[in-house]
Amino acid sequence: MSGSDRLENVNPQIHSTAGQRPVTAAELDNSVTDPIDAREVFDLVRDIADPEHPLTLEQLNVVEQELIEVDPASGVVQVQFTPTIPHCSMATLIGLSIKVKLERSLPARFKIDVRITPGSHASERAVNKQLADKERVAAATENGRLLEVVNQCLVPPAAAVGA
Amino acid sequence: MIRVLDENGGLLNITNYFFFHIYIFLQIYCLATCSNHYFNTYNLFWTLIASPLFAVGSTAVTMSRKLEPVCSLSGHTDRVWQVAWDPAGRTLASCSADKTVRLWSETGAGWSCATILADGHERTVRGVAFSPSGRLLASASFDSTAAVWDREQAWECAATLEGHESEVKAVAWSRSGKYLATCSRDKSVWLWELTDDRELDFECAAVLMAHTQDVKRVSWSPVEDRLASCGYDDTVRLYRDDGDDWVTGAVLKGHSSTVWAVAWDGAGKRIASASDDGTVRIWAETQPPDQWSCVALLSGFHQRAVYDVAWCPLTGLLATACGDDAVRVFAEEPGAGDGGAPAFGLVASVPRAHGRDVNAVSWSPTERGLLASAGDDNLVKLWRVSEE
């Protein structure tokens, strides 16, 4: 992805990042049930690298905690992400990275729905359909070259380490 | 619960539309006035008048039967994509992302894995199908090939069919065993003709390019050489041999997302289709040849994508495999059908049939009510539906 000469979004706006999650007394108490919440899911995806810039999805406002919903009862995790520009050709790759990261991190019983924030992309419907098709996602992650690109995105960029 | 159902592709007819507006108006009015009196009136209106109007040609929930677990078969090391019975009902094949096909059979001690076919494919095996004679097994793989395995040679891989440009998603044998259909991510359906039964020579008889996207499933009619396919372009398409060429017939439109599976009824007169939009549609050939319409819509039952549907030729029961981990069984209600729209009721369901998505369901061709299912939890399960 870094092989292309021209960047699609040349000068992206960089946003401030959320601080560390405060640890509460209840979380340290092993007798209290502590279901996975939106903040925990956000912590899993915030440091995914943008395919184009050495920045995190959080710094580019592609992912936000407010756009993550977790329903512990049905086990459905819904993540909406906002591409930086409406014609971003990386949208599917970004969504795939989020999906792969969550599939690897969350317990297997969770259903993970990754969608584009409504109205933020020109091919919203097509990208959403592609990301929802588990068979195509499975075939994509069996493709060695594509998986390598996804894995690269899952390594936090240097910018995230200092943040 | 509102279910909008009718025979013409799920649109409300004028009467229903009128009452729907009254219903919405009452609902808003009750909310605005916070009036218990009007709320009660509205509830009465809804139970007595409005709800039967919405239930035209539709669906009831009467759990008159039970789906009892028979056994759970473990062995696959990755998600199981499909299951298929041999025509004698004695062997069950399952295929998986672990690149293998497993053959299960019943011994004195219960069901167990008899054979593992491991060296035919380099990637996920997405689909399997037995030939009508039970001698041959075909498998479809993401490695762009289909393989044919021969029981008479101790399940050796006897032929590899190459030609598709990308992942092969499904395989199906015609009722005579003469044709094998394969479909692929490359948008095409290929028909392979078995020209030599002994040597197992296959020739490509047709390449059908009707779909505009990824083709997910192919299914032959049980009574004639007629093929149905479905896929990512939200349609079901039909093909037949017009004497010298394979032609595309009807295009069944109505689903609002990917159609994952199609299944014929035992008489070859109707088709059930299962979709990512969470519905199952029943289609009938209203004016042969090739005038098909949607005669029933099973909507509101599935919380997520429906990945498979199976129509039992012995009992007429419909089973569905769903992304919400459930297996459901529907029965056609007696009485409907002569001219009127058929009605299907949910008669049994197991909400957590598998630990994850259910990918496939398949009825035993010989034993009434015996159902196999497969899921993302790497398991194959057998169920028995109690008779009414």
Side-chain angles (χ1 to χ4, degrees):
Chain A
M1 289 296 126
S2 52
S4 90
D5 298 337
R6 245 176 341 146
L7 296 174
E8 276 195 8
N9 186 1
V10 181
N11 197 7
Q13 194 189 347
I14 300 175
H15 299 260
S16 60
T17 56
Q20 286 283 328
R21 171 200 176 86
V23 178
T24 63
E27 280 170 359
L28 296 173
D29 183 351
N30 282 336
S31 61
V32 177
T33 320
D34 181 18
I36 289 171
D37 58 17
R39 175 63 204 244
E40 266 172 283
V41 173
F42 179 65
D43 281 345
L44 290 169
V45 299
R46 62 194 284 209
D47 286 344
I48 295 174
D50 181 75
E52 205 171 61
H53 296 284
L55 295 167
T56 66
L57 296 187
E58 181 188 17
Q59 286 170 322
L60 294 171
N61 246 21
V62 173
V63 291
E64 295 165 77
Q65 188 181 332
E66 291 69 37
L67 295 179
I68 296 174
E69 264 180 57
V70 179
D71 179 2
S74 63
V76 175
V77 175
Q78 287 182 303
V79 178
Q80 285 185 10
F81 69 103
T82 318
T84 51
I85 46 172
H87 290 279
C88 182
S89 64
M90 309 284 179
T92 314
L93 178 60
I94 292 170
L96 187 61
S97 304
I98 295 171
K99 193 149 186 161
V100 169
K101 172 77 188 197
L102 292 179
E103 273 175 5
R104 287 180 188 171
S105 313
L106 293 173
R109 66 187 169 86
F110 279 94
K111 314 275 181 195
I112 299 153
D113 293 331
V114 177
R115 292 194 192 95
I116 287 183
T117 311
S120 67
H121 197 273
S123 333
E124 182 182 318
R125 199 175 171 272
V127 174
N128 284 346
K129 192 172 184 183
Q130 178 109 312
L131 289 171
D133 187 322
K134 70 169 184 178
E135 186 189 66
R136 286 168 76 136
V137 168
T141 50
E142 272 186 22
N143 173 334
R145 231 181 27 199
L146 185 58
L147 190 62
E148 205 175 299
V149 177
V150 170
N151 282 337
Q152 263 165 27
C153 290
L154 297 187
V155 178
V161 180
Chain B
M1 192 185 308
I2 314 169
R3 289 210 190 92
V4 182
L5 301 143
D6 85 336
E7 64 271 37
N8 301 316
L11 287 168
L12 287 162
N13 66 35
I14 298 298
T15 325
N16 287 356
Y17 203 68
F18 173 70
F19 280 105
F20 187 69
H21 275 107
I22 295 182
Y23 155 67
I24 293 292
F25 169 77
L26 276 168
Q27 200 171 32
I28 293 169
Y29 188 78
C30 294
L31 281 172
T33 57
C34 298
S35 153
N36 263 336
H37 172 72
Y38 284 107
F39 187 71
N40 289 337
T41 313
Y42 142 69
N43 265 346
L44 195 68
F45 166 81
W46 182 242
T47 42
L48 290 180
I49 302 162
S51 57
L53 286 168
F54 281 107
V56 173
S58 75
T59 40
V61 180
T62 47
M63 299 292 200
S64 55
R65 305 183 198 206
K66 276 206 171 71
L67 201 55
E68 313 270 10
V70 175
C71 63
S72 175
L73 305 171
S74 59
H76 281 296
T77 57
D78 206 332
R79 65 159 55 119
V80 189
W81 274 115
Q82 220 196 345
V83 278
W85 292 91
D86 81 330
R90 283 200 285 270
T91 307
L92 180 70
S94 61
C95 62
S96 159
D98 68 12
K99 306 183 180 81
T100 68
V101 173
R102 279 175 177 254
L103 302 177
W104 312 86
S105 54
E106 194 175 15
T107 58
W111 286 83
S112 61
C113 181
T115 313
I116 302 173
L117 312 179
D119 51 357
H121 293 294
E122 288 161 17
R123 288 181 60 184
T124 286
V125 189
R126 176 65 180 91
V128 276
F130 279 98
S131 66
S133 68
R135 177 190 158 198
L136 303 174
L137 175 77
S139 57
S141 168
F142 282 2
D143 68 11
S144 309
T145 70
V148 178
W149 311 78
D150 188 353
R151 189 194 292 258
E152 284 175 12
Q153 295 170 43
W155 294 119
E156 278 285 297
C157 179
T160 303
L161 306 177
E162 293 173 356
H164 282 294
E165 284 166 25
S166 55
E167 298 114 43
V168 183
K169 299 292 178 71
V171 280
W173 295 90
S174 67
R175 83 211 142 105
S176 60
K178 186 179 166 196
Y179 294 106
L180 178 67
T182 57
C183 65
S184 162
R185 171 83 175 266
D186 69 12
K187 305 171 191 172
S188 68
V189 172
W190 287 47
L191 295 186
W192 307 84
E193 191 177 344
L194 182 56
T195 50
D196 186 332
D197 209 27
R198 283 291 110 202
E199 297 295 316
L200 292 181
D201 279 337
F202 287 87
E203 265 174 28
C204 177
V207 176
L208 305 163
M209 298 288 296
H211 282 282
T212 59
Q213 292 282 348
D214 195 352
V215 192
K216 299 293 194 190
R217 188 69 74 84
V218 276
S219 175
W220 288 93
S221 156
V223 298
E224 57 187 326
D225 279 351
R226 200 168 189 194
L227 182 73
S229 67
C230 63
Y232 197 79
D233 64 5
D234 309 350
T235 65
V236 175
R237 288 166 200 266
L238 295 167
Y239 315 86
R240 59 190 160 78
D241 190 350
D242 77 347
D244 39 44
D245 217 348
W246 283 87
V247 293
T248 306
V251 184
L252 316 187
K253 287 183 183 166
H255 282 297
S256 60
S257 191
T258 301
V259 188
W260 283 102
V262 274
W264 295 79
D265 72 348
K269 296 235 188 299
R270 294 187 292 177
I271 287 177
S273 59
S275 166
D276 215 71
D277 66 17
T279 69
V280 171
R281 281 172 182 265
I282 311 293
W283 311 81
E285 191 169 30
T286 43
Q287 214 179 20
D290 279 331
Q291 277 291 324
W292 290 71
S293 345
C294 179
V295 292
L297 172 64
L298 282 64
S299 166
F301 295 105
H302 302 90
Q303 311 308 318
R304 295 178 70 86
V306 191
Y307 289 116
D308 199 7
V309 57
W311 206 330
C312 183
L314 303 177
T315 61
L317 295 173
L318 269 184
T320 61
C322 183
D324 65 7
D325 307 346
V327 169
R328 294 177 177 84
V329 176
F330 298 85
E332 188 164 358
E333 274 148 25
D338 34 281
F344 286 80
L346 180 67
V347 294
S349 92
V350 179
R352 303 273 299 164
H354 283 263
R356 300 182 64 188
D357 293 6
V358 189
N359 293 322
V361 277
S362 182
W363 292 104
S364 162
T366 52
E367 194 180 332
R368 287 175 72 89
L370 184 63
L371 181 75
S373 67
D376 275 356
D377 59 0
N378 307 356
L379 296 175
V380 174
K381 291 190 177 187
L382 291 177
W383 310 87
R384 190 165 280 115
V385 178
S386 62
E387 294 276 341
E388 204 154 30

